[in-house]
Amino acid sequence: MRSLAHGDICSIFVLMFEPAPLPTDWPRPPACLPHHMLHMPLENSRVCVAGLVLVRQRPGTAKGVIFITLEDEFGICNVIVWQKIYQTYRRAVISGRLLRVVGRLQRQSGVTHVIAEYVEDISPLLDDLVRLHEPTRAADQP
């Protein structure tokens, strides 16, 4: 095994601690942006987010607009679904437990929203996760 020389250590240090440049082109589907990074893209950037549906709201005063709150392992994301998009992706919006949403980023009064352009129900991935852990769960039972 070769020992590390001073130059190698310096190179590793630079790679580990040099801040990475911010990408100019933000992730596009199917890559999803973690919710804690939604502050990084510019206003009106097209982003893809995914998460468990925590809340669906359709206030009577909102003229058919639906508000969805998604949660991933890093935080929450507010999604706004306009009526035309709702009509196109109705089944996913109503019954999806896990959604992937592509849309434009909007910031208003310190709150970040994703204005939905495309909504996909990816709930079957939850079923795969349960099946994957089925042997572990069976071993835990008496």
Side-chain angles (χ1 to χ4, degrees):
M1 182 163 93
R2 166 174 110 75
S3 63
L4 292 174
H6 177 71
D8 294 333
I9 294 172
C10 290
S11 297
I12 292 170
F13 181 78
V14 168
L15 288 175
M16 288 175 56
F17 296 104
E18 185 175 292
L22 291 176
T24 56
D25 190 21
W26 286 96
R28 293 193 179 150
C32 292
L33 191 64
H35 297 173
H36 73 289
M37 294 178 67
L38 284 172
H39 68 282
M40 296 175 76
L42 299 174
E43 175 90 18
N44 207 33
S45 295
R46 190 166 193 236
V47 296
C48 179
V49 294
L52 293 170
V53 176
L54 294 182
V55 178
R56 288 181 187 86
Q57 297 177 345
R58 189 175 188 178
T61 58
K63 298 181 183 176
V65 176
I66 296 177
F67 301 97
I68 300 174
T69 303
L70 299 179
E71 180 181 34
D72 69 2
E73 63 271 29
F74 299 107
I76 62 167
C77 173
N78 300 310
V79 177
I80 298 174
V81 182
W82 293 104
Q83 190 170 19
K84 183 177 179 181
I85 300 299
Y86 167 70
Q87 290 170 353
T88 304
Y89 303 106
R90 179 183 173 132
R91 183 178 300 268
V93 171
I94 290 176
S95 63
R97 298 175 291 151
L98 180 65
L99 295 179
R100 178 172 30 212
V101 177
V102 178
R104 299 284 173 182
L105 205 58
Q106 178 187 56
R107 291 189 185 91
Q108 197 169 34
S109 304
V111 179
T112 302
H113 303 279
V114 175
I115 309 298
E117 297 172 351
Y118 172 79
V119 181
E120 180 183 2
D121 183 2
I122 56 174
S123 299
L125 293 176
L126 292 173
D127 299 332
D128 292 343
L129 185 63
V130 170
R131 278 192 289 279
L132 180 68
H133 291 286
E134 217 37 59
T136 306
R137 291 176 53 202
D140 291 340
Q141 296 176 0

